Amino acid sequence: MQDNGTEVTAAGIARLAGVGRAAVSNWRRRHADFPRPVGGTETSPSFALADIEAWLRAQGKLAEVPPRERVWQQLAGHPEGPVTALTHAGCVLLLVRERPNLWLDASAGSDERLAAMLPAALDQVLDARFGPGPERTVATPIGPRLLPSAPLLRGAAELAAGPGARKAYEFLLGRHLDANPRQYTLTPEPLAELMAELAGPARTVLDPACGTGTLLRAATATATRPGQELYGQDSDPALAALTALRLALSTDATVRIAAGDSLRADARTALRADAALCHPPFNERNWGHDELAYDARWEYGFPARTESELAWVQHALARVRDGGTVVVLMPPAAASRRSGRRVRADLLRRGALRAVIALPAGAAPPYNIPLHLWVLRRPERAPAQPEVLLADAGQFAGEGRSGPDWRSVRDAVLDAWGTYDRTGRLDDRPGLARCLPVIELLDDDVDLAPARHLPPPTATGGTGRLTDVRERLDETLRLTAELTPAAPGTGRAAPRRPLTTVGELARAGALTLRTGTNGGHARVPVLTDHDVLTGTGPSGTLPESDEEPVLTEPGDVVVPVLGGGTVARVIDDATAGAALGRSLVLLRPDPAALDPWFLAGFLRGTANHRQASSYASTATRLDVRRLQLPRLPLDAQRGYGDRFRALDEFERALRLAGRLGEQLVRGMYDGLTDGTVDPGR
């Protein structure tokens, strides 16, 4: 049945047709038969999706709407809002997953019949997964509310026919989260996986500030156990319902998600979980300080008004069994603020705090701050000689916006924690980790910041490492001298050559254009715009979705479209196979028509970039289709290509020399100041 009620904005039309929003504005001006707005505002009108589809198809601009795009537009334009639509879709996808025959029976007739039959069918599956009705965060939608959702529900079930109900819901939820970035605080998946591995295998897991459920889902991936139980709570009832559905679609574990503020209205007072994972809200002043002064959870001291994070730590400790593990993401200030020193001291004295791990900047929002992980264990008995592990993974920070080197972070942190957890001790690892007696931390400040207590990284083997860096730098400088281009000849007038554009070449079939995706189902390294700008290897990750990632091939030319830099990169064998990240355009030349180095070289011309760029108040955007290059036969292109390839090799040698020089200078400063380098040498 055609959905006549769904509305779509100009941005949605652009997504349907695979064009920019400027093209949609042009269509509205140039075509008298373009559908009239049916809602929205004068500056942001909305249009009937059915009318837009019909017009696009009549104009030859749309062969068929992809099912996931149609479903997303139905969800985004739902009359009760996208959150209600997501809840309805999630309920039906759970029905499709758990009781497919019930869905087939309910969906066989009209939309009215579907809306009438669904509540009873949903009651069965929701009770089975979330407990009896009164305990459920996910309420069964009543028939009249389901009727406007009928086309969406049918579309969601169709979407699940290929990749499955879980991936269909992940796609829809991921789109919603991406469209509302300020509404939700997300925990990156690599961080969630690290926290779950620090906690270890657990049958019952609690997240008292569960958000979108990423931590609880990571706990099921770490160790799937028969009878595993997931408990969560979130102050936003709508988000709690979406998270419950997400977890129920992702795992066979028992899922119990409650709505409400865990500190003020704890729904799990009797729970004693095996492990607790938590990414609490930071720097909250209104966390319940006044009304919770005599709460039994404050075993280690009443947190100050400015120490909401220490309230979350103690809440999590109170909800695990003796010997249960708690892993909490913390702001770095919580390790050293004077207002929290008494609570920190008691956590140390009683052996509850086992490790403080500093993460690289960029691990989680706010991305400019190196956050900490606190690993705690509810004491079974007082430790004879309490010690605490302090670790700093800051050296694994990525460059720019690429994020940390998660594989190195994970290997270093889990190796140090595993050794300490098994033996109670750890030999010093300069610059990375050390095991420190608690008594050494119990001073007036009780400062737990790892960087203040670790031996410097050059304390052992420093001079040998610096010698290696110096030798590599000498070798690179010699190579740079050999690669330096010869001085150009005397100036001459620029030749007048016939020009073409990337857009014209694409229309003629001489090259193919592809743009980076917002997600993907494949777990492959991602080439980011920062990687292209700095000449480094793929360093990014893509959120999981049903989108097909664009994979690079040798000879592809990749161009960043934001920032105004004159950069184009030819993909080599080492980078081939990486997925194309956002804000990148890939040009795949036909080798019988275009030399890739010729193409990349001319795309880097400063004047070329200037004429193809548009400027906003805060950003520069490149229209790759407008970039120009001369019309030359393939043999002449290869002559230019050889020169451009030599310039690229020279540029990469210069970058390496710069990085090695910085390492040498930094190492010499550190060595001279810590005494490992003799000033007389």
Side-chain angles (χ1 to χ4, degrees):
M1 177 178 174
Q2 178 62 54
D3 174 24
N4 294 314
T6 300
E7 298 178 10
V8 61
T9 64
I13 298 171
R15 190 188 292 272
L16 285 170
V19 298
R21 290 191 61 176
V24 178
S25 299
N26 288 336
W27 293 342
R28 291 186 64 196
R29 288 194 301 268
R30 293 167 49 196
H31 296 276
D33 61 339
F34 192 87
R36 300 297 182 208
V38 297
T41 65
E42 186 175 347
T43 56
S44 182
S46 59
F47 306 82
L49 177 60
D51 294 345
I52 289 296
E53 287 182 26
W55 187 86
L56 290 174
R57 196 171 286 112
Q59 295 289 326
K61 303 179 187 300
L62 181 68
E64 188 58 54
V65 180
R68 63 182 182 185
E69 199 59 51
R70 166 182 282 280
V71 174
W72 168 249
Q73 296 298 344
Q74 291 169 334
L75 187 150
H78 194 280
E80 292 193 49
V83 173
T84 297
L86 262 176
T87 305
H88 291 179
C91 289
V92 163
L93 287 170
L94 190 60
L95 179 65
V96 170
R97 179 181 187 267
E98 304 278 326
R99 310 281 177 88
N101 290 334
L102 279 179
W103 165 253
L104 291 174
D105 184 34
S107 62
S110 66
D111 285 355
E112 288 75 13
R113 180 176 181 273
L114 174 66
M117 293 187 63
L118 266 184
L122 291 177
D123 262 337
Q124 294 184 40
V125 70
L126 295 177
D127 281 347
R129 290 310 310 267
F130 305 127
E135 298 181 11
R136 281 203 262 116
T137 302
V138 185
T140 304
I142 58 176
R145 293 191 68 192
L146 282 170
L147 186 56
S149 298
L152 164 67
L153 303 182
R154 295 182 188 278
E158 178 187 348
L159 191 62
R166 181 186 71 83
K167 287 191 174 182
Y169 189 70
E170 284 294 319
F171 165 72
L172 295 173
L173 179 62
R175 272 279 185 92
H176 175 67
L177 297 176
D178 287 344
N180 300 275
R182 296 185 180 181
Q183 190 174 340
Y184 306 101
T185 299
L186 305 181
T187 307
E189 287 194 13
L191 174 58
E193 292 166 2
L194 174 61
M195 293 174 67
E197 290 183 277
L198 286 168
R203 194 182 73 84
T204 56
V205 186
L206 168 70
D207 183 349
C210 63
T212 59
T214 305
L215 289 172
L216 290 172
R217 194 171 66 155
T220 66
T222 301
T224 302
R225 290 187 159 198
Q228 192 172 34
E229 299 174 3
L230 306 178
Y231 294 91
Q233 188 165 344
D234 195 88
S235 58
D236 181 350
L239 181 58
L242 297 181
T243 297
L245 290 165
R246 182 189 197 190
L247 293 171
L249 285 162
S250 300
T251 174
D252 293 326
T254 298
V255 176
R256 296 291 183 267
I257 306 297
D261 182 343
S262 289
L263 295 184
R264 286 191 173 93
D266 183 17
R268 307 296 175 198
T269 55
L271 180 66
R272 295 298 178 267
D274 296 325
L277 306 171
C278 188
H279 177 176
F282 295 159
N283 303 319
E284 280 202 339
R285 297 298 181 96
N286 186 28
W287 58 268
H289 178 271
D290 294 338
E291 59 262 45
L292 299 174
Y294 301 102
D295 198 287
R297 288 172 290 182
W298 317 140
E299 296 181 48
Y300 303 90
F302 182 39
R305 188 183 302 276
T306 57
E307 295 289 347
S308 62
E309 297 85 8
L310 293 180
W312 285 101
V313 164
Q314 293 191 74
H315 169 79
L317 274 172
R319 296 294 171 260
V320 296
R321 61 171 173 78
D322 289 348
T325 303
V326 172
V327 184
V328 186
L329 185 67
M330 300 284 277
S336 55
R337 281 191 298 239
R338 289 188 62 80
S339 55
R341 65 189 186 278
R342 291 184 180 178
V343 174
R344 292 196 300 270
D346 211 38
L347 288 168
L348 289 171
R349 287 193 194 97
R350 296 174 58 182
L353 183 58
R354 309 304 294 146
V356 176
I357 300 163
L359 297 169
Y367 290 106
N368 60 325
I369 297 175
L371 301 174
H372 288 179
L373 288 177
W374 287 22
V375 185
L376 307 101
R377 191 159 284 155
R378 185 169 179 82
E380 297 179 90
R381 58 182 183 276
Q385 294 180 329
E387 295 189 347
V388 65
L389 173 67
L390 300 177
D392 188 347
Q395 62 185 284
F396 304 118
E399 297 183 12
R401 293 169 289 171
S402 61
D405 177 356
W406 279 113
R407 177 174 295 179
S408 297
V409 171
R410 178 185 176 278
D411 291 347
V413 169
L414 293 181
D415 182 56
W417 167 252
T419 301
Y420 165 76
D421 195 35
R422 286 192 307 271
T423 66
R425 295 197 53 78
L426 181 75
D427 292 334
D428 284 358
R429 300 183 180 185
L432 180 62
R434 81 183 308 180
C435 191
L436 205 63
V438 164
I439 192 66
E440 295 187 21
L441 296 169
L442 295 175
D443 54 17
D444 289 341
D445 295 322
V446 196
D447 190 337
L448 306 181
R452 297 196 174 107
H453 302 284
L454 298 183
T458 56
T460 58
T463 54
R465 185 175 62 85
L466 290 179
T467 300
D468 292 341
V469 173
R470 174 59 187 266
E471 290 175 354
R472 288 186 63 200
L473 178 59
D474 287 343
E475 181 181 347
T476 304
L477 289 174
R478 285 194 296 271
L479 177 63
T480 304
E482 295 171 4
L483 294 173
T484 302
T490 57
R492 58 192 178 96
R496 297 181 64 86
R497 297 172 295 201
L499 298 175
T500 187
T501 66
V502 168
E504 290 172 351
L505 290 171
R507 287 191 291 272
L511 58 81
T512 304
L513 272 84
R514 301 290 300 276
T515 57
T517 58
N518 293 318
H521 59 77
R523 289 281 186 170
V524 294
V526 176
L527 188 69
T528 68
D529 55 346
H530 181 78
D531 299 331
V532 175
L533 292 169
T534 58
T536 54
S539 64
T541 57
L542 285 176
E544 183 178 348
S545 79
D546 284 339
E547 291 188 80
E548 192 71 32
V550 178
L551 302 183
T552 58
E553 298 178 1
D556 289 344
V557 177
V558 177
V559 183
V561 296
L562 296 178
T566 56
V567 176
R569 177 169 174 177
V570 179
I571 300 300
D572 56 16
D573 291 334
T575 310
L580 192 69
R582 290 186 293 182
S583 302
L584 291 175
V585 171
L586 179 146
L587 310 177
R588 181 164 293 160
D590 178 352
L594 279 175
D595 178 83
W597 286 101
F598 164 80
L599 173 64
F602 273 96
L603 297 188
R604 290 192 60 172
T606 302
N608 202 3
H609 263 249
R610 189 179 298 121
Q611 65 84 27
S613 296
S614 58
Y615 303 93
S617 57
T618 58
T620 302
R621 186 173 186 88
L622 180 70
D623 184 349
V624 175
R625 291 178 176 272
R626 292 173 55 190
L627 288 169
Q628 299 176 335
L629 59 158
R631 297 179 182 271
L632 294 177
L634 193 57
D635 288 343
Q637 291 180 31
R638 287 171 179 154
Y640 276 100
D642 291 342
R643 257 335 259 283
F644 287 137
R645 188 197 297 261
L647 281 174
D648 179 78
E649 193 174 355
F650 174 63
E651 184 179 37
R652 284 188 283 114
L654 283 177
R655 283 180 176 152
L656 178 58
R659 289 196 294 268
L660 291 171
E662 289 177 1
Q663 289 181 32
L664 182 60
V665 170
R666 184 169 62 250
M668 288 296 295
Y669 271 111
D670 290 345
L672 288 167
T673 55
D674 65 26
T676 57
V677 173
D678 184 355
R681 291 182 58 189

PDB file of all heavy atoms in Angstrom, residues 468-484:
ATOM      1  N   ASP A 468      68.925   4.770  16.990  1.00  0.00           N
ATOM      2  CA  ASP A 468      68.174   4.234  15.857  1.00  0.00           C
ATOM      3  C   ASP A 468      67.445   5.345  15.102  1.00  0.00           C
ATOM      4  O   ASP A 468      67.435   5.380  13.862  1.00  0.00           O
ATOM      5  CB  ASP A 468      67.162   3.189  16.339  1.00  0.00           C
ATOM      6  CG  ASP A 468      67.837   1.938  16.877  1.00  0.00           C
ATOM      7  OD1 ASP A 468      69.025   1.733  16.550  1.00  0.00           O
ATOM      8  OD2 ASP A 468      67.183   1.183  17.619  1.00  0.00           O
ATOM      9  N   VAL A 469      66.838   6.266  15.857  1.00  0.00           N
ATOM     10  CA  VAL A 469      66.132   7.378  15.223  1.00  0.00           C
ATOM     11  C   VAL A 469      67.104   8.234  14.423  1.00  0.00           C
ATOM     12  O   VAL A 469      66.809   8.657  13.296  1.00  0.00           O
ATOM     13  CB  VAL A 469      65.388   8.223  16.281  1.00  0.00           C
ATOM     14  CG1 VAL A 469      64.806   9.481  15.650  1.00  0.00           C
ATOM     15  CG2 VAL A 469      64.284   7.413  16.934  1.00  0.00           C
ATOM     16  N   ARG A 470      68.288   8.492  15.000  1.00  0.00           N
ATOM     17  CA  ARG A 470      69.283   9.321  14.309  1.00  0.00           C
ATOM     18  C   ARG A 470      69.738   8.664  13.012  1.00  0.00           C
ATOM     19  O   ARG A 470      69.871   9.328  11.971  1.00  0.00           O
ATOM     20  CB  ARG A 470      70.481   9.563  15.234  1.00  0.00           C
ATOM     21  CG  ARG A 470      71.649  10.287  14.584  1.00  0.00           C
ATOM     22  CD  ARG A 470      71.234  11.659  14.043  1.00  0.00           C
ATOM     23  NE  ARG A 470      72.290  12.284  13.295  1.00  0.00           N
ATOM     24  CZ  ARG A 470      73.158  13.151  13.817  1.00  0.00           C
ATOM     25  NH1 ARG A 470      73.076  13.490  15.094  1.00  0.00           N
ATOM     26  NH2 ARG A 470      74.094  13.689  13.068  1.00  0.00           N
ATOM     27  N   GLU A 471      69.947   7.343  13.053  1.00  0.00           N
ATOM     28  CA  GLU A 471      70.391   6.647  11.849  1.00  0.00           C
ATOM     29  C   GLU A 471      69.305   6.686  10.768  1.00  0.00           C
ATOM     30  O   GLU A 471      69.605   6.890   9.585  1.00  0.00           O
ATOM     31  CB  GLU A 471      70.752   5.206  12.199  1.00  0.00           C
ATOM     32  CG  GLU A 471      72.026   5.089  13.041  1.00  0.00           C
ATOM     33  CD  GLU A 471      72.302   3.670  13.492  1.00  0.00           C
ATOM     34  OE1 GLU A 471      71.424   2.794  13.237  1.00  0.00           O
ATOM     35  OE2 GLU A 471      73.363   3.421  14.091  1.00  0.00           O
ATOM     36  N   ARG A 472      68.044   6.500  11.164  1.00  0.00           N
ATOM     37  CA  ARG A 472      66.949   6.569  10.192  1.00  0.00           C
ATOM     38  C   ARG A 472      66.822   7.972   9.612  1.00  0.00           C
ATOM     39  O   ARG A 472      66.536   8.149   8.426  1.00  0.00           O
ATOM     40  CB  ARG A 472      65.631   6.157  10.851  1.00  0.00           C
ATOM     41  CG  ARG A 472      65.505   4.678  11.161  1.00  0.00           C
ATOM     42  CD  ARG A 472      64.111   4.374  11.662  1.00  0.00           C
ATOM     43  NE  ARG A 472      63.101   4.653  10.641  1.00  0.00           N
ATOM     44  CZ  ARG A 472      61.817   4.837  10.910  1.00  0.00           C
ATOM     45  NH1 ARG A 472      61.380   4.812  12.149  1.00  0.00           N
ATOM     46  NH2 ARG A 472      60.963   5.075   9.928  1.00  0.00           N
ATOM     47  N   LEU A 473      67.039   8.986  10.457  1.00  0.00           N
ATOM     48  CA  LEU A 473      66.960  10.361   9.983  1.00  0.00           C
ATOM     49  C   LEU A 473      68.068  10.645   8.974  1.00  0.00           C
ATOM     50  O   LEU A 473      67.827  11.264   7.927  1.00  0.00           O
ATOM     51  CB  LEU A 473      67.041  11.331  11.167  1.00  0.00           C
ATOM     52  CG  LEU A 473      67.025  12.824  10.815  1.00  0.00           C
ATOM     53  CD1 LEU A 473      65.749  13.185  10.064  1.00  0.00           C
ATOM     54  CD2 LEU A 473      67.159  13.663  12.080  1.00  0.00           C
ATOM     55  N   ASP A 474      69.300  10.196   9.256  1.00  0.00           N
ATOM     56  CA  ASP A 474      70.408  10.401   8.308  1.00  0.00           C
ATOM     57  C   ASP A 474      70.087   9.758   6.954  1.00  0.00           C
ATOM     58  O   ASP A 474      70.304  10.354   5.895  1.00  0.00           O
ATOM     59  CB  ASP A 474      71.700   9.801   8.877  1.00  0.00           C
ATOM     60  CG  ASP A 474      72.263  10.635  10.022  1.00  0.00           C
ATOM     61  OD1 ASP A 474      71.860  11.807  10.153  1.00  0.00           O
ATOM     62  OD2 ASP A 474      73.095  10.113  10.783  1.00  0.00           O
ATOM     63  N   GLU A 475      69.555   8.523   7.019  1.00  0.00           N
ATOM     64  CA  GLU A 475      69.235   7.815   5.784  1.00  0.00           C
ATOM     65  C   GLU A 475      68.132   8.538   5.008  1.00  0.00           C
ATOM     66  O   GLU A 475      68.195   8.672   3.781  1.00  0.00           O
ATOM     67  CB  GLU A 475      68.792   6.389   6.124  1.00  0.00           C
ATOM     68  CG  GLU A 475      68.448   5.538   4.916  1.00  0.00           C
ATOM     69  CD  GLU A 475      67.988   4.143   5.304  1.00  0.00           C
ATOM     70  OE1 GLU A 475      68.178   3.755   6.477  1.00  0.00           O
ATOM     71  OE2 GLU A 475      67.427   3.455   4.434  1.00  0.00           O
ATOM     72  N   THR A 476      67.132   9.026   5.718  1.00  0.00           N
ATOM     73  CA  THR A 476      66.018   9.725   5.068  1.00  0.00           C
ATOM     74  C   THR A 476      66.476  11.041   4.465  1.00  0.00           C
ATOM     75  O   THR A 476      66.034  11.431   3.371  1.00  0.00           O
ATOM     76  CB  THR A 476      64.882   9.967   6.081  1.00  0.00           C
ATOM     77  OG1 THR A 476      64.493   8.723   6.660  1.00  0.00           O
ATOM     78  CG2 THR A 476      63.674  10.609   5.408  1.00  0.00           C
ATOM     79  N   LEU A 477      67.352  11.764   5.160  1.00  0.00           N
ATOM     80  CA  LEU A 477      67.851  13.032   4.622  1.00  0.00           C
ATOM     81  C   LEU A 477      68.661  12.806   3.348  1.00  0.00           C
ATOM     82  O   LEU A 477      68.588  13.603   2.405  1.00  0.00           O
ATOM     83  CB  LEU A 477      68.689  13.757   5.677  1.00  0.00           C
ATOM     84  CG  LEU A 477      67.905  14.338   6.860  1.00  0.00           C
ATOM     85  CD1 LEU A 477      68.858  14.895   7.909  1.00  0.00           C
ATOM     86  CD2 LEU A 477      66.944  15.428   6.381  1.00  0.00           C
ATOM     87  N   ARG A 478      69.446  11.719   3.311  1.00  0.00           N
ATOM     88  CA  ARG A 478      70.186  11.403   2.085  1.00  0.00           C
ATOM     89  C   ARG A 478      69.222  11.109   0.939  1.00  0.00           C
ATOM     90  O   ARG A 478      69.410  11.568  -0.192  1.00  0.00           O
ATOM     91  CB  ARG A 478      71.110  10.196   2.320  1.00  0.00           C
ATOM     92  CG  ARG A 478      72.352  10.520   3.149  1.00  0.00           C
ATOM     93  CD  ARG A 478      73.383   9.400   3.047  1.00  0.00           C
ATOM     94  NE  ARG A 478      72.878   8.160   3.627  1.00  0.00           N
ATOM     95  CZ  ARG A 478      73.013   7.828   4.896  1.00  0.00           C
ATOM     96  NH1 ARG A 478      73.641   8.657   5.739  1.00  0.00           N
ATOM     97  NH2 ARG A 478      72.545   6.684   5.354  1.00  0.00           N
ATOM     98  N   LEU A 479      68.159  10.341   1.241  1.00  0.00           N
ATOM     99  CA  LEU A 479      67.165  10.040   0.216  1.00  0.00           C
ATOM    100  C   LEU A 479      66.466  11.310  -0.254  1.00  0.00           C
ATOM    101  O   LEU A 479      66.227  11.495  -1.459  1.00  0.00           O
ATOM    102  CB  LEU A 479      66.136   9.050   0.773  1.00  0.00           C
ATOM    103  CG  LEU A 479      64.969   8.685  -0.147  1.00  0.00           C
ATOM    104  CD1 LEU A 479      65.468   7.991  -1.405  1.00  0.00           C
ATOM    105  CD2 LEU A 479      63.961   7.806   0.587  1.00  0.00           C
ATOM    106  N   THR A 480      66.166  12.214   0.680  1.00  0.00           N
ATOM    107  CA  THR A 480      65.502  13.468   0.323  1.00  0.00           C
ATOM    108  C   THR A 480      66.367  14.291  -0.625  1.00  0.00           C
ATOM    109  O   THR A 480      65.867  14.883  -1.597  1.00  0.00           O
ATOM    110  CB  THR A 480      65.191  14.282   1.595  1.00  0.00           C
ATOM    111  OG1 THR A 480      64.423  13.487   2.485  1.00  0.00           O
ATOM    112  CG2 THR A 480      64.407  15.538   1.257  1.00  0.00           C
ATOM    113  N   ALA A 481      67.678  14.318  -0.349  1.00  0.00           N
ATOM    114  CA  ALA A 481      68.583  15.067  -1.224  1.00  0.00           C
ATOM    115  C   ALA A 481      68.595  14.480  -2.634  1.00  0.00           C
ATOM    116  O   ALA A 481      68.620  15.206  -3.632  1.00  0.00           O
ATOM    117  CB  ALA A 481      69.986  15.073  -0.634  1.00  0.00           C
ATOM    118  N   GLU A 482      68.542  13.133  -2.702  1.00  0.00           N
ATOM    119  CA  GLU A 482      68.545  12.494  -4.016  1.00  0.00           C
ATOM    120  C   GLU A 482      67.248  12.762  -4.783  1.00  0.00           C
ATOM    121  O   GLU A 482      67.241  12.854  -6.015  1.00  0.00           O
ATOM    122  CB  GLU A 482      68.735  10.984  -3.857  1.00  0.00           C
ATOM    123  CG  GLU A 482      70.094  10.592  -3.280  1.00  0.00           C
ATOM    124  CD  GLU A 482      70.163   9.115  -2.942  1.00  0.00           C
ATOM    125  OE1 GLU A 482      69.171   8.398  -3.226  1.00  0.00           O
ATOM    126  OE2 GLU A 482      71.181   8.673  -2.377  1.00  0.00           O
ATOM    127  N   LEU A 483      66.139  12.887  -4.041  1.00  0.00           N
ATOM    128  CA  LEU A 483      64.835  13.058  -4.681  1.00  0.00           C
ATOM    129  C   LEU A 483      64.474  14.511  -4.958  1.00  0.00           C
ATOM    130  O   LEU A 483      63.462  14.778  -5.603  1.00  0.00           O
ATOM    131  CB  LEU A 483      63.732  12.445  -3.800  1.00  0.00           C
ATOM    132  CG  LEU A 483      63.775  10.927  -3.608  1.00  0.00           C
ATOM    133  CD1 LEU A 483      62.726  10.502  -2.591  1.00  0.00           C
ATOM    134  CD2 LEU A 483      63.542  10.211  -4.937  1.00  0.00           C
ATOM    135  N   THR A 484      65.288  15.451  -4.475  1.00  0.00           N
ATOM    136  CA  THR A 484      64.962  16.864  -4.672  1.00  0.00           C
ATOM    137  C   THR A 484      64.841  17.169  -6.162  1.00  0.00           C
ATOM    138  O   THR A 484      65.755  16.881  -6.935  1.00  0.00           O
ATOM    139  CB  THR A 484      66.043  17.759  -4.050  1.00  0.00           C
ATOM    140  OG1 THR A 484      66.155  17.461  -2.659  1.00  0.00           O
ATOM    141  CG2 THR A 484      65.691  19.235  -4.220  1.00  0.00           C
TER     142      THR A 484
END
